[in-house]
Amino acid sequence: MNIARCLDTIDRLCSRPFPAEHGWSDVGRGGPGYFMAEMAEWAAADPDRGPGEPTADDVEAFREGIAQRLDERWGERPPWAMLTLRVRAERGEEIPEPWASISTLAYDLRIWEAAGTGRWVALGVAQGDETAPARLLAVVTEVDPE
């Protein structure tokens, strides 16, 4: 996937109706008030990987390329750490979707309010461990992250 196609997917998700039920769609998971789309996946860093195969750092750089374009559209915002949400959930506080799910997958997010849509857009890099592929996730939701 390239940056232009990722931006196109985000734009489509900002205008598409949300699913009535939790489940899967053509872009990934979704439910009432949100979509969580897997934008790209790359193999994890591996000593046996071939030359030129992307690493988690490459996924992060790709995210920042998309983020730069979204900063130009909607204004620059600092990364938002997910640790606070994970701690709040561990203490029994109910965290709404999609924030509950994405907080367990990514360490931080880049988040924007998509002007004129009533929706929020977030980008995060999910990587479970050294053997799991790094994944670039995009969240589009009407649920305020605050």
Side-chain angles (χ1 to χ4, degrees), residues 13-95:
L13 294 178
C14 282
S15 62
R16 163 191 267 189
F18 293 114
E21 303 287 327
H22 294 281
W24 294 92
S25 73
D26 60 323
V27 296
R29 290 179 41 197
Y34 77 95
F35 292 106
M36 187 182 308
E38 188 167 301
M39 305 301 279
E41 178 180 304
W42 289 278
D46 181 332
D48 297 330
R49 72 182 173 91
E53 288 183 32
T55 65
D57 290 338
D58 296 321
V59 179
E60 184 66 39
F62 187 67
R63 174 179 80 155
E64 289 308 306
I66 297 167
Q68 182 180 30
R69 272 70 166 197
L70 296 177
D71 284 346
E72 292 166 3
R73 283 186 191 180
W74 299 319
E76 189 172 345
R77 295 172 57 112
W80 195 46
M82 297 286 92
L83 180 60
T84 301
L85 285 182
R86 288 193 297 270
V87 168
R88 287 170 42 199
E90 288 171 3
R91 292 182 178 165
E93 184 176 337
E94 187 172 330
I95 307 298

Side-chain angles (χ1 to χ4, degrees), residues 76-131:
E76 189 172 345
R77 295 172 57 112
W80 195 46
M82 297 286 92
L83 180 60
T84 301
L85 285 182
R86 288 193 297 270
V87 168
R88 287 170 42 199
E90 288 171 3
R91 292 182 178 165
E93 184 176 337
E94 187 172 330
I95 307 298
E97 288 296 347
W99 306 115
S101 292
I102 193 72
S103 72
T104 65
L105 299 171
Y107 292 112
D108 66 52
L109 298 176
R110 296 289 308 274
I111 301 176
W112 301 266
E113 187 172 7
T117 68
R119 296 184 180 193
W120 294 87
V121 174
L123 292 174
V125 176
Q127 184 173 5
D129 60 36
E130 289 135 19
T131 62

